[in-house]
Amino acid sequence: MDIAFLENAELAGLKANWETISADQQALIASLVAEGQSNLFSNWDDAGTNDDAKAAFVDSLVKINGNYPGGLIGYIHNARKLLAESKTGANPFEGLSPEQPDKVDLTTFTADFEKYEAIGAQKFDKVGVVLVAGGLGERLGYNGIKVDIAVEVLEETTYLKHYADNLLAMQARSESKRPVPFIIMVSQDTGPKTIQSLENNNYFGLQKDKVHILQQELVPAIADNDGALALKDTYELILKPHGHGDIHMLLHTSGVAAKLAGEGIEYFMFIQDTNGPSFNTLPAAVGVSVEKDYDFNSLAIRRKAGEAVGGLARLVGGGKEFTLNVEYNQLDPLLRATINPEGDVADETGFSPFPGNCNTLVIKTASYVKILEASQGIIAEFVNPKYTDETKTAFKKPTRLETMMQDLPKLFGESEKVGVTIFDRMWSFSPNKNNVADAAAKVASGGPADASATAENDFYAAGRARLEAAGMTVTTADEIKILGVPFTAGPKVILRPSFAMTLDEGRGKVSGGSISGESTLIIDGSDISLDQVELSGTSALVVKACEGAKVTVKGKFENEGFVLVELSEAERAPESDVEEYIKIRGYRFENKGAAVFEFNEPGEYTVEA
Ligand code: UGB
């Protein structure tokens, strides 16, 4: 091996330690230096100082080198190529032109919507749910795992509990009563806390052996356009998750996809960590997949031009065509190069002509397992650096190569059918991704906030929509802004999945009535019916019933209910002891006297105001 590079003055520390390093490790270091990575070794101490840290650092390089197909050098090469393309705004879809995908529009509650819900509801015991939860949530800046954040703070239900409640409700509605398999992809960063959360809460009532935890590996962060690996300190790389696309490889290598397919699971629904409304769409989306025989069904919203969600398009050219998500930083160059010199702009409807990807996917397991076997589940990589300015020479933070789960159709042949199902945004897509300051800035520039407060807002809005679809008169309060993020103070409606999973089910349990103002209604139980219930002002009604308790609720309830209190600056300050999930929304609710009825014994009950 040529070790002339050790004569470089910057590498004097490395030279002083060279004899303590094994031959294999030396070879790896030499190859990294030859690839322009001498920064990784330029501040080494003399032999005898920090030797353990040096050894751990070199071990970590060897481990990462082994984890990545093509090793660290392959990773650096891939990074340089993709970063160069990103910098020049190169069009990775050269030769292809975007057209409208095959789509079903379910943005309103039509008869078709209910037809699809009915079909999907028949499949509740044939669906497995896959949650990708390995992401760091950098944009949100939360100090814990995102699935532990409360989706609403009236009862402080976490995302994980909310998802588990939906799985239990699906199981309860199926004929076989078979537990719904739940696959959770975690990373080194999120794994221990996710498991702790499940353990501490007795798996939220789920059967432990039906919860499959798959852990993805981390990849090194990249500091610049030359692919320099980024250091946290002298002897530690910055490592980041490799993207949600790892889920396909893990479902294959773990054997879980094939096993569940063998057990009769016909569809997997893939969801993100903080998209509370995912289960609103599940019955209809699965129904569309069944009816249209889609192998891959991407759930979508009407996309605002320039919005940071991918656009779904059928790409046609050179005798080929396939339907794909074009990620938001690639859509503009693609459109400019093909059908619209103005790029990613709105059409006459006021929206981007291409539906926006919610990254909720329904995939047919039979086709999926076949594709995984052929490809080992390895998905194309992608880079999305956040540049400091438009010269694109520096990054705000180190970036990394990623793979995206929505890229699976890149592995499809002609026989696989890909479609898109479009839902109303509030009903389907309200992720909690941005901290308050960034969310306010997004709102100020006309974009969606995608923050804790808007996620909670949409949670209640979906409840209101269900009540309205069931025939109740719903009048919403005015929208206010809290720290620059919009919030509608009421009515705040939580209809737990135990109560209704389809519009039809809700209709069967609600008869007339009205709800308005800043009032609150929380219903949890499978056999509760609302008969001409009236709520207004800040009045609140909470009814919970165990299995076997049949409850009829009637009349007009009046009380002080839950009152929204904005946090003071002192309460929002980092040193205050207000819970972080409250701080990140800027408000909390105070219970001033809600009417609460809980039935923990089977029987027949009436609640009358
Ligand atoms: N995730 C992992 O499990 N592992 C990882 O390594 C990374 C993420 P982000 P992103 O909803 O607005 C996606 O980072 O990737 C999980 C779509 O690509 O929040 O920027 C993570 O825990 C985009 O088309 O999103 O963008 C989380 O659950 C658009 O739909 C999920 O993957 C966008 O989401 C998403 O991770 C959006």
Side-chain angles (χ1 to χ4, degrees), residues 537-598:
T538 58
S539 303
L541 171 65
V542 181
V543 185
K544 298 183 182 199
C546 68
E547 269 315 296
K550 180 178 170 62
V551 183
T552 306
V553 189
K554 297 179 181 178
K556 180 171 180 168
F557 294 81
E558 283 186 295
N559 53 57
E560 295 280 303
F562 292 94
V563 177
L564 185 144
V565 182
E566 293 192 32
L567 297 188
S568 64
E569 216 174 305
E571 285 173 307
R572 290 200 323 271
E575 60 279 8
S576 98
D577 58 7
V578 172
E579 293 285 358
E580 196 182 351
Y581 59 84
I582 301 280
K583 273 187 204 161
I584 58 173
R585 57 195 88 209
Y587 60 82
R588 61 194 153 80
F589 294 108
E590 264 176 33
N591 186 349
K592 300 272 191 189
V596 180
F597 302 91
E598 285 193 51

Short mmCIF file of all heavy atoms in Angstrom, two decimals, residues 537-598:
data_model
loop_
_atom_site.label_atom_id
_atom_site.label_comp_id
_atom_site.label_asym_id
_atom_site.label_seq_id
_atom_site.Cartn_x
_atom_site.Cartn_y
_atom_site.Cartn_z
N GLY A 537 -71.43 27.03 22.49
CA GLY A 537 -70.52 27.79 23.36
C GLY A 537 -69.27 26.98 23.62
O GLY A 537 -68.70 26.41 22.69
N THR A 538 -68.86 26.89 24.89
CA THR A 538 -67.68 26.08 25.21
C THR A 538 -68.09 24.74 25.84
O THR A 538 -67.26 24.02 26.39
CB THR A 538 -66.73 26.81 26.19
OG1 THR A 538 -67.48 27.12 27.37
CG2 THR A 538 -66.15 28.08 25.59
N SER A 539 -69.39 24.40 25.78
CA SER A 539 -69.88 23.17 26.41
C SER A 539 -69.12 21.94 25.92
O SER A 539 -68.74 21.86 24.75
CB SER A 539 -71.36 22.96 26.08
OG SER A 539 -72.09 24.08 26.49
N ALA A 540 -68.95 20.99 26.84
CA ALA A 540 -68.23 19.77 26.45
C ALA A 540 -68.95 18.53 26.96
O ALA A 540 -69.46 18.51 28.08
CB ALA A 540 -66.82 19.81 27.02
N LEU A 541 -68.96 17.51 26.12
CA LEU A 541 -69.57 16.23 26.49
C LEU A 541 -68.58 15.12 26.15
O LEU A 541 -68.07 15.05 25.02
CB LEU A 541 -70.87 16.04 25.68
CG LEU A 541 -71.53 14.67 25.78
CD1 LEU A 541 -72.03 14.39 27.19
CD2 LEU A 541 -72.71 14.58 24.79
N VAL A 542 -68.31 14.27 27.14
CA VAL A 542 -67.39 13.15 26.94
C VAL A 542 -68.14 11.88 27.33
O VAL A 542 -68.62 11.77 28.46
CB VAL A 542 -66.13 13.30 27.83
CG1 VAL A 542 -65.16 12.14 27.60
CG2 VAL A 542 -65.44 14.64 27.58
N VAL A 543 -68.27 10.94 26.40
CA VAL A 543 -68.95 9.68 26.72
C VAL A 543 -68.03 8.52 26.32
O VAL A 543 -67.56 8.45 25.18
CB VAL A 543 -70.30 9.54 25.97
CG1 VAL A 543 -71.02 8.27 26.42
CG2 VAL A 543 -71.18 10.76 26.19
N LYS A 544 -67.78 7.64 27.29
CA LYS A 544 -66.93 6.49 27.03
C LYS A 544 -67.63 5.23 27.52
O LYS A 544 -68.16 5.23 28.65
CB LYS A 544 -65.59 6.62 27.77
CG LYS A 544 -64.82 7.83 27.30
CD LYS A 544 -63.48 7.92 27.97
CE LYS A 544 -62.83 9.20 27.47
NZ LYS A 544 -61.43 9.25 27.65
N ALA A 545 -67.62 4.21 26.71
CA ALA A 545 -68.33 2.99 27.10
C ALA A 545 -67.49 1.77 26.74
O ALA A 545 -66.92 1.71 25.65
CB ALA A 545 -69.68 2.93 26.39
N CYS A 546 -67.43 0.82 27.67
CA CYS A 546 -66.67 -0.41 27.41
C CYS A 546 -67.47 -1.31 26.46
O CYS A 546 -68.64 -1.04 26.18
CB CYS A 546 -66.39 -1.13 28.73
SG CYS A 546 -67.89 -1.82 29.47
N GLU A 547 -66.85 -2.39 26.01
CA GLU A 547 -67.55 -3.36 25.17
C GLU A 547 -68.76 -3.91 25.94
O GLU A 547 -68.64 -4.25 27.12
CB GLU A 547 -66.61 -4.52 24.81
CG GLU A 547 -65.82 -4.34 23.52
CD GLU A 547 -66.65 -3.83 22.36
OE1 GLU A 547 -67.59 -4.52 21.91
OE2 GLU A 547 -66.35 -2.70 21.89
N GLY A 548 -69.89 -3.95 25.31
CA GLY A 548 -71.08 -4.49 25.97
C GLY A 548 -71.92 -3.42 26.64
O GLY A 548 -73.03 -3.71 27.10
N ALA A 549 -71.42 -2.19 26.71
CA ALA A 549 -72.24 -1.10 27.29
C ALA A 549 -72.91 -0.36 26.14
O ALA A 549 -72.24 0.19 25.27
CB ALA A 549 -71.36 -0.16 28.10
N LYS A 550 -74.25 -0.38 26.17
CA LYS A 550 -75.03 0.28 25.10
C LYS A 550 -75.54 1.60 25.68
O LYS A 550 -76.29 1.60 26.66
CB LYS A 550 -76.19 -0.63 24.69
CG LYS A 550 -77.09 -0.08 23.61
CD LYS A 550 -78.16 -1.14 23.30
CE LYS A 550 -79.26 -0.60 22.41
NZ LYS A 550 -78.82 -0.16 21.11
N VAL A 551 -75.12 2.71 25.10
CA VAL A 551 -75.43 4.01 25.69
C VAL A 551 -76.16 4.89 24.67
O VAL A 551 -75.70 5.05 23.54
CB VAL A 551 -74.13 4.73 26.13
CG1 VAL A 551 -74.45 6.05 26.81
CG2 VAL A 551 -73.30 3.84 27.04
N THR A 552 -77.28 5.45 25.10
CA THR A 552 -77.98 6.43 24.25
C THR A 552 -77.83 7.79 24.91
O THR A 552 -78.12 7.93 26.10
CB THR A 552 -79.47 6.06 24.12
OG1 THR A 552 -79.54 4.71 23.65
CG2 THR A 552 -80.19 6.98 23.13
N VAL A 553 -77.38 8.77 24.14
CA VAL A 553 -77.15 10.11 24.68
C VAL A 553 -78.16 11.05 24.03
O VAL A 553 -78.33 11.04 22.81
CB VAL A 553 -75.72 10.59 24.34
CG1 VAL A 553 -75.41 11.88 25.08
CG2 VAL A 553 -74.69 9.53 24.68
N LYS A 554 -78.84 11.86 24.88
CA LYS A 554 -79.89 12.73 24.35
C LYS A 554 -79.77 14.14 24.95
O LYS A 554 -79.36 14.29 26.10
CB LYS A 554 -81.27 12.23 24.77
CG LYS A 554 -81.66 10.90 24.25
CD LYS A 554 -83.05 10.57 24.78
CE LYS A 554 -83.46 9.18 24.27
NZ LYS A 554 -84.73 8.78 24.76
N GLY A 555 -80.22 15.13 24.21
CA GLY A 555 -80.46 16.46 24.77
C GLY A 555 -79.34 17.46 24.64
O GLY A 555 -78.33 17.23 23.98
N LYS A 556 -79.60 18.60 25.32
CA LYS A 556 -78.71 19.75 25.19
C LYS A 556 -77.82 19.85 26.43
O LYS A 556 -78.32 19.96 27.55
CB LYS A 556 -79.58 21.01 25.06
CG LYS A 556 -78.82 22.28 24.92
CD LYS A 556 -79.77 23.41 24.58
CE LYS A 556 -78.97 24.69 24.44
NZ LYS A 556 -79.75 25.74 23.84
N PHE A 557 -76.52 19.86 26.24
CA PHE A 557 -75.59 19.90 27.37
C PHE A 557 -74.98 21.30 27.45
O PHE A 557 -74.50 21.82 26.43
CB PHE A 557 -74.49 18.85 27.18
CG PHE A 557 -75.01 17.45 27.24
CD1 PHE A 557 -75.63 16.86 26.12
CD2 PHE A 557 -74.94 16.71 28.41
CE1 PHE A 557 -76.14 15.58 26.18
CE2 PHE A 557 -75.44 15.43 28.47
CZ PHE A 557 -76.04 14.85 27.35
N GLU A 558 -75.02 21.88 28.63
CA GLU A 558 -74.45 23.22 28.78
C GLU A 558 -73.51 23.25 29.97
O GLU A 558 -73.91 22.92 31.10
CB GLU A 558 -75.57 24.25 28.97
CG GLU A 558 -76.25 24.55 27.65
CD GLU A 558 -77.26 25.67 27.77
OE1 GLU A 558 -78.25 25.47 28.49
OE2 GLU A 558 -77.04 26.73 27.16
N ASN A 559 -72.28 23.60 29.72
CA ASN A 559 -71.29 23.74 30.81
C ASN A 559 -70.14 24.58 30.29
O ASN A 559 -70.12 25.00 29.14
CB ASN A 559 -70.84 22.36 31.30
CG ASN A 559 -70.34 21.49 30.16
OD1 ASN A 559 -69.43 21.87 29.43
ND2 ASN A 559 -70.96 20.33 29.97
N GLU A 560 -69.17 24.80 31.16
CA GLU A 560 -68.04 25.66 30.78
C GLU A 560 -67.07 24.94 29.84
O GLU A 560 -66.29 25.57 29.14
CB GLU A 560 -67.27 26.09 32.03
CG GLU A 560 -68.05 26.96 32.99
CD GLU A 560 -68.10 28.41 32.54
OE1 GLU A 560 -67.03 29.00 32.37
OE2 GLU A 560 -69.22 28.92 32.34
N GLY A 561 -67.08 23.62 29.90
CA GLY A 561 -66.30 22.82 28.98
C GLY A 561 -64.80 23.05 29.04
O GLY A 561 -64.25 23.38 30.09
N PHE A 562 -64.17 22.86 27.90
CA PHE A 562 -62.71 23.05 27.80
C PHE A 562 -62.44 24.43 27.22
O PHE A 562 -63.02 24.79 26.19
CB PHE A 562 -62.09 22.00 26.87
CG PHE A 562 -62.13 20.60 27.41
CD1 PHE A 562 -63.18 19.75 27.07
CD2 PHE A 562 -61.14 20.13 28.25
CE1 PHE A 562 -63.23 18.45 27.55
CE2 PHE A 562 -61.18 18.84 28.75
CZ PHE A 562 -62.23 17.99 28.40
N VAL A 563 -61.54 25.14 27.85
CA VAL A 563 -61.22 26.48 27.37
C VAL A 563 -59.78 26.50 26.87
O VAL A 563 -58.88 25.96 27.52
CB VAL A 563 -61.42 27.50 28.51
CG1 VAL A 563 -61.03 28.90 28.06
CG2 VAL A 563 -62.87 27.48 28.95
N LEU A 564 -59.60 27.09 25.71
CA LEU A 564 -58.25 27.18 25.13
C LEU A 564 -57.47 28.30 25.81
O LEU A 564 -57.96 29.41 25.93
CB LEU A 564 -58.38 27.45 23.63
CG LEU A 564 -57.08 27.45 22.81
CD1 LEU A 564 -57.34 26.87 21.43
CD2 LEU A 564 -56.49 28.84 22.67
N VAL A 565 -56.28 27.97 26.27
CA VAL A 565 -55.43 28.98 26.92
C VAL A 565 -54.11 29.05 26.15
O VAL A 565 -53.42 28.03 26.00
CB VAL A 565 -55.12 28.57 28.39
CG1 VAL A 565 -54.26 29.64 29.07
CG2 VAL A 565 -56.40 28.32 29.15
N GLU A 566 -53.78 30.24 25.66
CA GLU A 566 -52.50 30.38 24.96
C GLU A 566 -51.37 30.42 25.98
O GLU A 566 -51.51 31.02 27.04
CB GLU A 566 -52.50 31.64 24.10
CG GLU A 566 -53.51 31.52 22.96
CD GLU A 566 -53.35 32.60 21.91
OE1 GLU A 566 -52.22 33.05 21.67
OE2 GLU A 566 -54.38 32.97 21.32
N LEU A 567 -50.26 29.80 25.67
CA LEU A 567 -49.13 29.78 26.61
C LEU A 567 -48.48 31.16 26.65
O LEU A 567 -48.39 31.84 25.62
CB LEU A 567 -48.08 28.76 26.17
CG LEU A 567 -48.46 27.29 26.11
CD1 LEU A 567 -47.22 26.44 25.86
CD2 LEU A 567 -49.14 26.83 27.39
N SER A 568 -48.02 31.54 27.82
CA SER A 568 -47.28 32.80 27.93
C SER A 568 -45.86 32.56 27.42
O SER A 568 -45.43 31.41 27.25
CB SER A 568 -47.23 33.24 29.38
OG SER A 568 -46.48 32.28 30.12
N GLU A 569 -45.14 33.65 27.23
CA GLU A 569 -43.77 33.52 26.75
C GLU A 569 -42.93 32.70 27.75
O GLU A 569 -42.12 31.87 27.36
CB GLU A 569 -43.18 34.91 26.57
CG GLU A 569 -42.26 34.98 25.37
CD GLU A 569 -41.79 36.39 25.12
OE1 GLU A 569 -42.67 37.27 24.98
OE2 GLU A 569 -40.57 36.60 25.10
N ALA A 570 -43.18 32.97 29.05
CA ALA A 570 -42.42 32.26 30.09
C ALA A 570 -42.72 30.76 30.02
O ALA A 570 -41.83 29.93 30.18
CB ALA A 570 -42.79 32.81 31.46
N GLU A 571 -43.99 30.40 29.74
CA GLU A 571 -44.34 28.97 29.67
C GLU A 571 -43.71 28.30 28.45
O GLU A 571 -43.42 27.12 28.46
CB GLU A 571 -45.86 28.81 29.61
CG GLU A 571 -46.55 29.04 30.94
CD GLU A 571 -48.07 29.03 30.78
OE1 GLU A 571 -48.59 29.78 29.92
OE2 GLU A 571 -48.72 28.28 31.51
N ARG A 572 -43.51 29.09 27.41
CA ARG A 572 -42.92 28.52 26.19
C ARG A 572 -41.40 28.45 26.24
O ARG A 572 -40.78 27.79 25.43
CB ARG A 572 -43.33 29.35 24.97
CG ARG A 572 -44.78 29.25 24.60
CD ARG A 572 -45.02 29.67 23.16
NE ARG A 572 -44.21 30.78 22.73
CZ ARG A 572 -44.52 32.07 22.84
NH1 ARG A 572 -45.66 32.41 23.39
NH2 ARG A 572 -43.71 33.01 22.41
N ALA A 573 -40.82 29.14 27.21
CA ALA A 573 -39.36 29.20 27.28
C ALA A 573 -38.77 27.81 27.52
O ALA A 573 -39.40 26.97 28.17
CB ALA A 573 -38.95 30.13 28.42
N PRO A 574 -37.57 27.54 26.98
CA PRO A 574 -36.98 26.20 27.12
C PRO A 574 -36.91 25.73 28.57
O PRO A 574 -37.07 24.55 28.84
CB PRO A 574 -35.57 26.37 26.53
CG PRO A 574 -35.61 27.63 25.72
CD PRO A 574 -36.72 28.47 26.23
N GLU A 575 -36.68 26.66 29.51
CA GLU A 575 -36.49 26.23 30.91
C GLU A 575 -37.81 25.98 31.64
O GLU A 575 -37.82 25.44 32.74
CB GLU A 575 -35.62 27.23 31.69
CG GLU A 575 -36.16 28.65 31.79
CD GLU A 575 -35.89 29.49 30.54
OE1 GLU A 575 -35.42 28.95 29.53
OE2 GLU A 575 -36.21 30.70 30.58
N SER A 576 -38.96 26.34 31.04
CA SER A 576 -40.23 26.14 31.75
C SER A 576 -40.55 24.64 31.83
O SER A 576 -40.09 23.86 31.00
CB SER A 576 -41.37 26.89 31.07
OG SER A 576 -42.10 26.04 30.25
N ASP A 577 -41.35 24.26 32.85
CA ASP A 577 -41.61 22.82 32.98
C ASP A 577 -42.87 22.37 32.23
O ASP A 577 -43.35 21.26 32.43
CB ASP A 577 -41.64 22.41 34.46
CG ASP A 577 -42.69 23.19 35.23
OD1 ASP A 577 -43.47 23.94 34.57
OD2 ASP A 577 -42.76 23.08 36.47
N VAL A 578 -43.39 23.22 31.36
CA VAL A 578 -44.52 22.80 30.52
C VAL A 578 -44.01 21.69 29.57
O VAL A 578 -42.91 21.77 29.05
CB VAL A 578 -45.04 24.01 29.69
CG1 VAL A 578 -46.08 23.58 28.67
CG2 VAL A 578 -45.59 25.08 30.61
N GLU A 579 -44.84 20.64 29.41
CA GLU A 579 -44.44 19.52 28.55
C GLU A 579 -44.10 20.02 27.14
O GLU A 579 -44.78 20.89 26.60
CB GLU A 579 -45.59 18.50 28.42
CG GLU A 579 -45.93 17.78 29.70
CD GLU A 579 -44.92 16.70 30.06
OE1 GLU A 579 -43.96 16.49 29.29
OE2 GLU A 579 -45.11 16.09 31.11
N GLU A 580 -43.09 19.38 26.54
CA GLU A 580 -42.63 19.85 25.23
C GLU A 580 -43.72 19.74 24.16
O GLU A 580 -43.84 20.60 23.29
CB GLU A 580 -41.39 19.07 24.82
CG GLU A 580 -40.63 19.72 23.68
CD GLU A 580 -39.42 18.93 23.24
OE1 GLU A 580 -39.05 17.95 23.92
OE2 GLU A 580 -38.86 19.28 22.19
N TYR A 581 -44.55 18.68 24.25
CA TYR A 581 -45.57 18.54 23.21
C TYR A 581 -46.65 19.61 23.33
O TYR A 581 -47.43 19.83 22.40
CB TYR A 581 -46.18 17.12 23.19
CG TYR A 581 -46.83 16.67 24.47
CD1 TYR A 581 -48.14 17.02 24.75
CD2 TYR A 581 -46.13 15.89 25.38
CE1 TYR A 581 -48.74 16.61 25.95
CE2 TYR A 581 -46.72 15.48 26.56
CZ TYR A 581 -48.02 15.84 26.83
OH TYR A 581 -48.61 15.45 28.00
N ILE A 582 -46.72 20.26 24.49
CA ILE A 582 -47.64 21.40 24.64
C ILE A 582 -46.95 22.65 24.10
O ILE A 582 -47.54 23.42 23.33
CB ILE A 582 -48.01 21.62 26.13
CG1 ILE A 582 -48.67 20.39 26.73
CG2 ILE A 582 -48.88 22.87 26.30
CD1 ILE A 582 -50.13 20.20 26.41
N LYS A 583 -45.69 22.80 24.49
CA LYS A 583 -44.94 23.99 24.04
C LYS A 583 -44.93 24.11 22.52
O LYS A 583 -45.06 25.21 21.98
CB LYS A 583 -43.48 23.87 24.50
CG LYS A 583 -43.22 24.40 25.87
CD LYS A 583 -41.72 24.39 26.10
CE LYS A 583 -41.42 24.34 27.58
NZ LYS A 583 -40.07 23.90 27.89
N ILE A 584 -44.77 22.96 21.83
CA ILE A 584 -44.62 23.05 20.38
C ILE A 584 -45.92 23.46 19.68
O ILE A 584 -45.94 23.65 18.48
CB ILE A 584 -44.08 21.73 19.74
CG1 ILE A 584 -44.99 20.55 20.06
CG2 ILE A 584 -42.66 21.46 20.19
CD1 ILE A 584 -44.58 19.27 19.32
N ARG A 585 -47.02 23.59 20.44
CA ARG A 585 -48.23 24.09 19.79
C ARG A 585 -48.63 25.47 20.32
O ARG A 585 -49.42 26.16 19.69
CB ARG A 585 -49.37 23.09 19.81
CG ARG A 585 -49.79 22.58 21.16
CD ARG A 585 -50.66 21.33 21.00
NE ARG A 585 -49.86 20.12 20.95
CZ ARG A 585 -50.21 19.02 20.31
NH1 ARG A 585 -51.33 18.95 19.65
NH2 ARG A 585 -49.44 17.95 20.33
N GLY A 586 -48.12 25.85 21.50
CA GLY A 586 -48.36 27.22 21.98
C GLY A 586 -49.67 27.41 22.72
O GLY A 586 -50.06 28.54 23.01
N TYR A 587 -50.39 26.33 23.03
CA TYR A 587 -51.65 26.45 23.76
C TYR A 587 -51.90 25.15 24.51
O TYR A 587 -51.26 24.12 24.25
CB TYR A 587 -52.84 26.72 22.81
CG TYR A 587 -53.04 25.62 21.80
CD1 TYR A 587 -53.74 24.44 22.13
CD2 TYR A 587 -52.48 25.71 20.54
CE1 TYR A 587 -53.88 23.41 21.22
CE2 TYR A 587 -52.61 24.68 19.62
CZ TYR A 587 -53.31 23.54 19.97
OH TYR A 587 -53.42 22.52 19.06
N ARG A 588 -52.84 25.24 25.44
CA ARG A 588 -53.32 24.03 26.10
C ARG A 588 -54.80 24.23 26.37
O ARG A 588 -55.34 25.32 26.10
CB ARG A 588 -52.56 23.77 27.40
CG ARG A 588 -52.69 24.84 28.43
CD ARG A 588 -51.62 24.67 29.53
NE ARG A 588 -51.31 25.95 30.13
CZ ARG A 588 -52.04 26.56 31.05
NH1 ARG A 588 -53.16 25.98 31.50
NH2 ARG A 588 -51.72 27.71 31.53
N PHE A 589 -55.47 23.20 26.85
CA PHE A 589 -56.89 23.33 27.18
C PHE A 589 -57.06 23.17 28.68
O PHE A 589 -56.40 22.34 29.30
CB PHE A 589 -57.73 22.28 26.45
CG PHE A 589 -57.73 22.47 24.96
CD1 PHE A 589 -57.05 21.60 24.13
CD2 PHE A 589 -58.41 23.54 24.40
CE1 PHE A 589 -57.04 21.79 22.76
CE2 PHE A 589 -58.40 23.74 23.03
CZ PHE A 589 -57.72 22.86 22.21
N GLU A 590 -57.97 23.95 29.24
CA GLU A 590 -58.28 23.80 30.66
C GLU A 590 -59.70 23.29 30.79
O GLU A 590 -60.63 23.85 30.16
CB GLU A 590 -58.17 25.15 31.37
CG GLU A 590 -56.81 25.34 32.02
CD GLU A 590 -56.65 26.71 32.64
OE1 GLU A 590 -57.66 27.28 33.14
OE2 GLU A 590 -55.52 27.20 32.60
N ASN A 591 -59.87 22.22 31.57
CA ASN A 591 -61.21 21.68 31.76
C ASN A 591 -61.94 22.48 32.83
O ASN A 591 -61.58 22.43 34.00
CB ASN A 591 -61.11 20.20 32.16
CG ASN A 591 -62.48 19.54 32.23
OD1 ASN A 591 -63.52 20.23 32.18
ND2 ASN A 591 -62.49 18.23 32.34
N LYS A 592 -62.97 23.22 32.42
CA LYS A 592 -63.71 24.07 33.37
C LYS A 592 -65.02 23.42 33.79
O LYS A 592 -65.92 24.08 34.30
CB LYS A 592 -64.01 25.43 32.72
CG LYS A 592 -62.80 26.21 32.30
CD LYS A 592 -62.31 27.07 33.46
CE LYS A 592 -61.25 28.04 32.96
NZ LYS A 592 -60.61 28.72 34.07
N GLY A 593 -65.18 22.15 33.45
CA GLY A 593 -66.42 21.48 33.88
C GLY A 593 -67.13 20.73 32.78
O GLY A 593 -68.36 20.87 32.62
N ALA A 594 -66.39 19.93 32.02
CA ALA A 594 -67.00 19.12 30.97
C ALA A 594 -67.92 18.06 31.59
O ALA A 594 -67.63 17.56 32.68
CB ALA A 594 -65.90 18.43 30.16
N ALA A 595 -69.01 17.74 30.91
CA ALA A 595 -69.88 16.64 31.36
C ALA A 595 -69.25 15.33 30.89
O ALA A 595 -69.06 15.12 29.69
CB ALA A 595 -71.27 16.80 30.75
N VAL A 596 -68.87 14.48 31.86
CA VAL A 596 -68.15 13.25 31.52
C VAL A 596 -68.96 12.04 32.00
O VAL A 596 -69.36 11.98 33.16
CB VAL A 596 -66.74 13.23 32.18
CG1 VAL A 596 -65.99 11.95 31.82
CG2 VAL A 596 -65.94 14.45 31.75
N PHE A 597 -69.20 11.09 31.11
CA PHE A 597 -69.95 9.88 31.46
C PHE A 597 -69.11 8.68 31.02
O PHE A 597 -68.77 8.55 29.85
CB PHE A 597 -71.30 9.84 30.74
CG PHE A 597 -72.15 11.05 31.05
CD1 PHE A 597 -72.08 12.19 30.26
CD2 PHE A 597 -73.00 11.05 32.16
CE1 PHE A 597 -72.85 13.30 30.55
CE2 PHE A 597 -73.77 12.17 32.47
CZ PHE A 597 -73.69 13.30 31.66
N GLU A 598 -68.78 7.83 31.99
CA GLU A 598 -67.99 6.64 31.64
C GLU A 598 -68.73 5.40 32.08
O GLU A 598 -69.24 5.35 33.21
CB GLU A 598 -66.63 6.70 32.33
CG GLU A 598 -65.71 7.71 31.67
CD GLU A 598 -64.26 7.57 32.12
OE1 GLU A 598 -63.75 6.44 32.07
OE2 GLU A 598 -63.68 8.59 32.51
#
